[in-house]
Amino acid sequence: MVGVDGPPMNGVAGVGAGGGMLGAQARAQYAALARLRWHMFINGLRVKKGALELGARTISFVFYAAGGVALGSGAGAAAYFLTAFGGWRFLPLLLWAVFFVWQMIPIMLASFQDQFDLGILLRFPLRFGSYFLLYVVFGLLDVSTILGGLCCAGIFVGITLAQPGLFLWTALELGVFAAFNILLVRAIFAWIDRWLAQRKTREILGAVFMVLILSLQLLNPALHRQKHQVVANPLGSANTEEQNRLRAQEFQRTKALFKDRYGPWLERVNAVQQWLPPGLAARSLRQAHSQEPGSRSGSLESLGVLGLFVFAAGGVLGARLRSEYRGESLGVAPSVRRAAEVRAREVKSRAGKSVGGRLLDGSGPIAAVIEKEVRTLLRTLPLIYAIGAPLILVLVFSGVFIRSGSQGNAFPLALPLCMVYAQLGFTRLFYNSLGAEGAGIQLYFLSPTPMRTVLLAKNLFHSALFGLTLLVAGILTALRLGQPDPMVVLATIAWILFALPSNLAAGNVFSLTMAYRVNPGRITRQGGSQANALGAVLVQVLVLGVGAGVFGLCWYLDKMWMAVPIFLVFAGVAVYVWMRGLGNADQLANKRKDSLMATLMKAG
Amino acid sequence: METAAIQTHGLTRRFGALTAVEEVTLSVAQGQFFGFLGPNGAGKSTTIKMLTGLLEPSAGTIEILGQPFGAGALELKRQIGVVPEGMALMGRLTAPEYLRFVGRMYGLDMATTNERTDELLEFMQLANESRKLITDFSHGMQKKLAMAAAVIHGPKVLFLDEPFEGVDAIAAGMLKAMLQGMINRGATIFLTTHVLEIVERLCSHVAIISQGRLVANGSIEQLRVGVESTLPGAEQEQRLTLEEIFLSIVGAGGQQEPAQELSWLA
């Protein structure tokens, strides 16, 4: 192709000009890209929605910044105390925590981050090195990288204050550790996007994910049994001093039991983690601090192995990006022979019966929309993920409540708190219910089915799914923490009856006025709407605030029963608002028709 | 006098300071195959969006089958089929799932929807692709599916925005035959396309829009006579093609500037 491999054309420098990914041509391309991003930003502000987005982004930034600074300060304080007071052996735990923040947060926030799809640059004569560099550089703007970077900065400050002599070594170690994390998180998402790009791998990934969630849930009864074996209170109703003495004995016994049972296993885990990046970074720092002979060379060795991990992560990312760069085809077209076989099989199986399976036999548009929603959801991994991920965290949180309970009992309001968390997974479904429609949004405006019917069908389906998820979360919590107080269960159900229509009412308005396109084949590189995300958070905080206030008050007054009628009154109001909202949905949809279609139908 | 299938009066659409469609008044009789032509950016898609309820007019009125048409005219929407610019497809469904969905959204009962889905998939030669997601379809296959979805409810008026774009010659021939069959049974078709040969072969009447204004409207023969009468005597002897008529009309509006030489191009 002229301009790429051939001699430079008139006015075209050619890829070779300037040489390398930092050469003159590459630098010109980076500058052009920076200008492009700037123009996109400025042009975005020309419309009202853009200004709203900027405001929402500014507020989000303040939140993230505050969270990041708090997290970084916490990590710094922990690092200071660990290294100043001889707690070096616990440093790996801190670095593992940073590692998990770095790798897990992008998954949690993927849907809320507006990400630029660099794939569009491949049509230009861009060097692979430049493409790789841009992909990594754009990753630096990820929330996880900023948080992880702040944690590393905090740890650096903490260790340097405690051990000033390790200043340079700590900077080097943490710099390499950060590089590893940046490359790994980009590699993970590049590969996930690759797998989501094809139906077969997407379905395998979806199945693996579902199995993972179910496995975690099945793990609960086992954990529950363990817990009861360990914390069963043998005392009954003895006096407090005796109870304390016995509790101390029980603690010692449990500790010994834990050490006996898990000690060898933990030793093995420790031996392995030392050779993984967070463990290597911690070990290298510890060896650098140690005065023992040979420790310096050991430290260098650990740093070297950590460097190898950086290259490995870069290699994994590079392999993926190289395929993208070469213009891989992710089409699902089978080979000619295979296609003929499939066709023959389908023609045979189709004889005398209607093609494709049916989920719902109802003729009406509500049944049609619900069936479509089920099928779309099952084929949209980001949404399954959004619903499923909080369930995993319910499992984690319920573990926290076991420990935080007084007198060996779980925290009494653990159930509503776990319900609240499970509800968060529905934010995208409730508040952007049209986001996955793409060009299909036109059909709703073309067909004789009113928008209120479409939204009603979506609300019904989402409510059923919501109920099912809360049921699973409730069972999960009960298995983990034991049966909750029946009055708390009733109050929780009453709160849900208030929270659900409140979210649906607000969600319908947001879906029509602040929709954003969901790319069903991707977890990362999604477009997003900070205004929608922030608004949804604010409404949810309000609903949660009302719930927390009522729960707190009734708990304080020791009259939990009062929460039920209060929530039922709120629920009545919320249902009324939801119905009024549905009644006005067509008017609002028609008013927002242009921007709704423009947003959902835009390419990419 | 028979009611017009499509009737507009002073149809106008403004986007801020830009007037995309200005004072368009036209009438399409029932059973007519009507071609709506214009250069890029002339306002064709904007007009078709307004006629199908996808876009609110800034001014003017629309009547379909003699009734005022707006976003709330749900019963009237049952009489209309549309292949819009964006095709209105849902990528995460398979073709049969999508057609069944569309049929039910237009109020067909399940048995009829299933029957028509099967027939349409066979007709459009998509039956062998019934397990493939629409997102994995080629552009031409998507066009055929969009066409199937537009006719599943048996509309009386069909709006087609570039329906033949990306469709292979065999499928295009099949679609033309289907559309001609609909016309023979009394349906009205409103077609926009850049392929003037198709319009010349299929349409009895055309309208041409340029810079948002309707600059010609009538049967192809009327347009031909009109243009030929403006030509010098010698040129009147040859029969003009629709392309020549189109270029003559649109060019007369001052759009057609002679192409400048780009000296740096190979």
Side-chain angles (χ1 to χ4, degrees):
Chain A
M1 190 169 69
V2 181
V4 175
D5 298 326
M9 293 178 67
N10 180 19
V12 178
V15 173
M21 62 186 191
L22 296 175
Q25 173 71 14
R27 286 202 309 275
Q29 287 170 332
Y30 302 150
L33 190 58
R35 270 198 297 275
L36 168 78
R37 295 289 288 159
W38 174 248
H39 288 312
M40 284 168 72
F41 172 73
I42 292 296
N43 292 344
L45 295 179
R46 285 185 186 176
V47 288
K48 211 191 295 174
K49 192 180 163 200
L52 195 69
E53 279 291 305
L54 180 67
R57 269 171 206 282
T58 309
I59 296 169
S60 305
F61 175 77
V62 172
F63 275 110
Y64 286 138
V69 169
L71 205 63
S73 306
Y80 175 81
F81 285 109
L82 289 178
T83 51
F85 301 106
W88 282 95
R89 67 199 170 107
F90 296 112
L91 191 61
L93 284 177
L94 186 62
L95 291 178
W96 274 105
V98 173
F99 173 79
F100 279 113
V101 164
W102 215 313
Q103 305 302 321
M104 293 301 289
I105 280 186
I107 299 175
M108 312 301 295
L109 293 177
S111 57
F112 299 111
Q113 294 185 80
D114 190 11
Q115 299 184 29
F116 183 65
D117 186 357
L118 288 166
I120 63 163
L121 300 180
L122 291 176
R123 81 184 86 150
F124 303 115
L126 194 73
R127 280 177 174 278
F128 173 70
S130 300
Y131 183 59
F132 185 95
L133 185 68
L134 284 169
Y135 194 84
V136 174
V137 167
F138 271 76
L140 296 179
L141 302 174
D142 281 353
V143 172
S144 68
T145 301
I146 294 169
L147 291 184
L150 285 170
C151 285
C152 281
I155 292 172
F156 169 72
V157 172
I159 295 178
T160 305
L161 285 177
Q163 308 287 342
L166 289 179
F167 170 78
L168 276 176
W169 198 249
T170 308
L172 183 64
E173 283 292 342
L174 291 174
V176 177
F177 179 62
F180 166 75
N181 276 295
I182 290 167
L183 290 172
L184 184 67
V185 76
R186 297 301 277 165
I188 287 173
F189 278 96
W191 278 100
I192 286 180
D193 275 346
R194 161 67 184 82
W195 290 323
L196 291 179
Q198 279 184 306
R199 187 178 182 183
K200 200 170 181 180
T201 45
R202 186 165 58 234
E203 285 170 354
I204 291 170
L205 203 65
V208 168
F209 180 73
M210 293 310 284
V211 167
L212 183 72
I213 290 179
L214 288 173
S215 307
L216 280 165
Q217 287 168 19
L218 290 172
L219 199 67
N220 269 287
L223 293 173
H224 183 63
R225 267 202 304 279
Q226 290 284 357
K227 175 209 155 210
H228 274 259
Q229 281 172 13
V230 173
V231 299
N233 185 352
L235 190 60
S237 56
N239 62 48
T240 311
E241 274 184 26
E242 185 64 6
Q243 267 188 351
N244 286 342
R245 191 184 63 76
L246 280 171
R247 196 172 296 122
Q249 275 182 2
E250 179 63 24
F251 177 72
Q252 290 303 326
R253 198 177 69 82
T254 306
K255 199 172 155 187
L257 191 73
F258 186 84
K259 206 170 175 184
D260 282 350
R261 188 172 291 176
Y262 299 113
W265 184 77
L266 283 175
E267 286 293 322
R268 278 200 294 276
V269 169
N270 188 42
V272 173
Q273 74 82 27
Q274 281 187 21
W275 291 98
L276 296 174
L280 280 167
R283 187 163 66 136
S284 181
L285 282 168
R286 187 181 176 183
Q287 286 167 328
H289 170 251
S290 172
Q291 301 300 319
E292 290 167 21
S295 61
R296 287 277 162 171
S297 62
S299 180
L300 271 174
E301 182 190 293
S302 298
L303 181 65
V305 180
L306 184 59
L308 289 179
F309 271 100
V310 175
F311 277 110
V316 172
L317 176 61
R320 175 86 293 279
L321 293 186
R322 190 166 283 283
S323 298
E324 274 185 22
Y325 184 76
R326 285 175 177 158
E328 68 187 337
S329 167
L330 296 177
V332 294
S335 67
V336 175
R337 193 177 145 196
R338 169 117 177 86
E341 285 170 10
V342 169
R343 272 181 201 142
R345 218 171 29 242
E346 286 185 350
V347 168
K348 205 174 161 188
S349 69
R350 217 174 46 239
K353 60 177 181 183
S354 181
V355 287
R358 290 203 298 272
L359 287 174
L360 293 172
D361 270 339
S363 289
I366 291 187
V369 174
I370 291 177
E371 179 174 336
K372 192 226 97 187
E373 286 294 304
V374 174
R375 291 190 190 282
T376 306
L377 180 74
L378 291 175
R379 292 164 187 163
T380 310
L381 192 65
L383 290 181
I384 298 177
Y385 177 81
I387 295 167
L391 284 177
I392 299 173
L393 287 167
V394 164
L395 182 93
V396 177
F397 279 3
S398 56
V400 173
F401 294 134
I402 289 174
R403 288 188 294 278
S404 66
S406 59
Q407 300 185 1
N409 294 323
F411 181 55
L413 297 182
L415 178 73
L417 284 175
C418 285
M419 298 280 113
V420 165
Y421 203 82
Q423 180 210 290
L424 292 181
F426 282 81
T427 305
R428 281 173 72 180
L429 279 182
F430 288 158
Y431 288 84
N432 189 34
S433 63
L434 297 167
E437 301 292 357
I441 187 69
Q442 287 182 316
L443 183 69
Y444 294 134
F445 290 111
L446 291 172
S447 78
T449 302
M451 188 56 87
R452 66 171 176 275
T453 309
V454 173
L455 288 178
L456 174 66
K458 282 175 178 271
N459 286 174
L460 289 175
F461 170 63
H462 293 160
S463 300
L465 202 62
F466 182 66
L468 190 71
T469 305
L470 291 195
L471 188 69
V472 171
I475 293 170
L476 203 68
T477 314
L479 283 171
R480 195 100 160 88
L481 303 174
Q483 209 175 348
D485 179 359
M487 200 44 75
V488 171
V489 175
L490 275 179
T492 305
I493 292 171
W495 174 77
I496 290 167
L497 291 176
F498 156 63
L500 178 62
S502 303
N503 278 305
L504 291 176
N508 288 342
V509 175
F510 278 54
S511 298
L512 291 172
T513 55
M514 279 184 269
Y516 57 91
R517 187 182 151 93
V518 173
N519 187 334
R522 280 180 175 170
I523 280 185
T524 58
R525 293 191 254 178
Q526 292 276 6
S529 165
Q530 285 289 337
N532 182 305
L534 190 68
V537 167
L538 289 177
V539 175
Q540 296 208 10
V541 164
L542 190 71
V543 171
L544 297 181
V546 170
V550 174
F551 266 114
L553 184 71
C554 297
W555 192 39
Y556 177 73
L557 297 173
D558 203 18
K559 287 179 178 161
M560 193 49 87
W561 62 267
M562 266 174 54
V564 179
I566 294 174
F567 281 135
L568 287 179
V569 170
F570 286 152
V573 175
V575 168
Y576 174 75
V577 172
W578 170 66
M579 287 171 70
R580 282 293 302 267
L582 274 183
N584 293 328
D586 282 281
Q587 206 183 345
L588 186 58
N590 280 322
K591 210 184 282 177
R592 304 286 307 174
K593 192 158 51 182
D594 296 0
S595 72
L596 195 57
M597 283 193 286
T599 305
L600 299 184
M601 290 173 66
K602 69 182 173 189
Chain B
M1 194 178 116
E2 199 185 341
T3 316
I6 304 162
Q7 178 87 53
T8 70
H9 288 286
L11 195 62
T12 302
R13 175 68 204 202
R14 294 183 202 94
F15 296 100
L18 173 78
T19 304
V21 174
E22 192 173 2
E23 298 277 334
V24 168
T25 298
L26 58 81
S27 179
V28 180
Q30 289 191 38
Q32 215 169 64
F33 206 134
F34 191 85
F36 194 57
L37 310 176
N40 292 331
K44 297 187 300 296
S45 289
T46 305
T47 305
I48 216 168
K49 279 180 188 165
M50 287 191 283
L51 292 176
T52 54
L54 287 177
L55 195 65
E56 207 77 44
S58 305
T61 59
I62 301 167
E63 283 181 21
I64 305 280
L65 298 170
Q67 294 174 50
F69 182 73
L74 301 184
E75 279 311 310
L76 208 46
K77 284 186 177 180
R78 281 186 218 282
Q79 313 294 328
I80 297 172
V82 187
V83 175
E85 197 179 18
M87 290 193 277
L89 299 175
M90 293 170 165
R92 251 34 195 184
L93 299 182
T94 63
E97 287 166 3
Y98 177 67
L99 289 180
R100 271 203 292 273
F101 174 67
V102 174
R104 288 148 89 192
M105 293 297 280
Y106 275 93
L108 297 182
D109 62 62
M110 199 67 195
T112 311
T113 304
N114 287 333
E115 201 180 304
R116 291 186 185 178
T117 296
D118 291 354
E119 278 183 52
L120 281 166
L121 290 175
E122 285 292 345
F123 182 82
M124 298 286 178
Q125 297 173 342
L126 293 171
N128 292 332
E129 312 289 349
S130 62
R131 292 168 68 86
K132 207 186 238 186
L133 293 185
I134 296 169
T135 194
D136 297 325
F137 274 16
S138 69
H139 186 73
M141 287 160 74
Q142 289 186 345
K143 278 279 177 188
K144 287 197 281 183
L145 182 62
M147 181 73 94
V151 299
I152 192 168
H153 56 294
K156 287 184 182 158
V157 182
L158 188 59
F159 291 92
L160 307 173
D161 195 345
E162 293 288 355
F164 300 105
E165 188 194 27
V167 177
D168 64 61
I170 300 166
M174 197 176 66
L175 290 178
K176 284 177 216 164
M178 184 192 82
L179 296 175
Q180 199 56 60
M182 286 179 72
I183 291 291
N184 295 341
R185 287 189 292 275
T188 308
I189 298 177
F190 188 97
L191 167 79
T192 73
T193 178
H194 289 291
V195 188
L196 298 179
E197 289 85 354
I198 290 177
V199 177
E200 195 162 17
R201 264 191 28 215
L202 291 176
C203 298
S204 54
H205 289 71
V206 294
I208 298 174
I209 188 171
S210 178
Q211 294 180 312
R213 287 176 165 274
L214 208 59
V215 291
N217 187 8
S219 70
I220 294 181
E221 205 43 52
Q222 283 172 330
L223 262 56
R224 183 173 286 130
V225 170
V227 170
E228 282 173 354
S229 66
T230 62
L231 297 175
E235 290 179 48
Q236 280 184 31
E237 311 229 330
Q238 35 174 288
R239 192 175 160 79
L240 294 176
T241 63
L242 182 60
E243 185 178 346
E244 286 164 331
I245 297 169
F246 176 79
L247 288 176
S248 169
I249 292 172
V250 172
Q255 290 242 322
Q256 208 62 25
E257 292 292 327
Q260 288 187 347
E261 188 82 3
L262 298 174
S263 59
W264 44 268
L265 270 182

